[in-house]
Amino acid sequence: MKPLVSIIMGSTSDLPIMEEAVTFLKEFEIGYEIQALSAHRTPELVMDFAKKAKKRGVQVIIAAAGGAAHLPGVVAAFTSIPVIGVPIKSSNSIDGWDSVLSILQMPSGIPVATVALNGARNAAILATQIIGTGNKQVYNKLMDFKESMKAKVIVANSSIQQQ
Ligand code: RP5
């Protein structure tokens, strides 16, 4: 399947979190790719990736990083494909706020859509929603997904009422 969503992460140590995004994209049959690329350790590769992504047909980039989390912002500097940033609570993170703020507080003109700390699943949902704006089948599947969440809350609620 052609990758529409490209997942990058600062280190393979981010993979256990980012696997949640992979699981969601697989469930929704969205073509994806995943690789480790570091803004600090492999800056040239990051630039090359970001500059070529559009030509390769990538529609959304999910970029995850922990600590001094510059990867999503650097990628966003080189492309106009929407970038969703996932702050990771990593081994070098003080408490997670470092990566949240590094990804969230982008300068005017270079946005990164930032999800919650370790919010890989929400990043995949948002990426799928972006793709769904131009794909009716994906959009309808997302609406069914939201309906199923609603149904779960209603069932859970009725079970506590009966206690
Ligand atoms: C960040 O530093 C990575 O995204 C990762 O979250 C963190 C630690 O990386 P490793 O030292 O485990 O490779 O750049």
Side-chain angles (χ1 to χ4, degrees):
M1 222 184 311
K2 208 174 92 176
L4 299 179
V5 178
S6 187
I7 303 172
I8 56 172
M9 56 201 161
S11 168
T12 53
S13 63
D14 299 324
L15 186 58
I17 298 294
M18 296 316 293
E19 268 167 355
E20 291 175 35
V22 168
T23 302
F24 185 88
L25 295 172
K26 275 187 180 161
E27 197 182 313
F28 270 70
E29 296 172 324
I30 305 288
Y32 73 93
E33 60 184 9
I34 182 164
Q35 62 179 318
L37 280 177
S38 166
H40 304 115
R41 295 165 175 161
T42 63
E44 294 90 355
L45 294 182
V46 169
M47 184 177 70
D48 191 58
F49 161 83
K51 285 186 168 180
K52 291 180 177 163
K54 173 79 175 135
K55 260 203 168 151
R56 292 194 300 110
V58 172
Q59 294 182 4
V60 187
I61 294 170
I62 297 175
H70 297 128
L71 183 63
V74 169
V75 169
F78 286 112
T79 181
S80 290
I81 296 172
V83 177
I84 302 170
V86 183
I88 301 283
K89 186 158 187 223
S90 56
S91 59
N92 63 329
S93 194
I94 296 171
D95 56 5
W97 276 112
D98 40 11
S99 36
V100 168
L101 296 176
S102 298
I103 296 177
L104 185 67
Q105 291 299 114
M106 287 296 292
S108 177
I110 313 289
V112 169
T114 310
V115 295
L117 190 66
N118 291 345
R121 189 163 189 266
N122 262 3
I125 295 170
L126 183 54
T128 305
Q129 290 183 175
I130 292 170
I131 288 165
T133 59
N135 182 323
K136 204 161 190 263
Q137 206 182 332
V138 171
Y139 184 84
N140 288 341
K141 209 166 169 182
L142 282 162
M143 291 308 285
D144 290 346
F145 168 68
K146 285 194 194 270
E147 278 302 314
S148 76
M149 279 192 294
K150 186 166 87 179
K152 272 184 203 156
V153 174
I154 291 167
V155 169
N157 246 339
S158 70
S159 78
I160 59 168
Q161 303 309 322
Q162 283 158 20
Q163 282 172 9

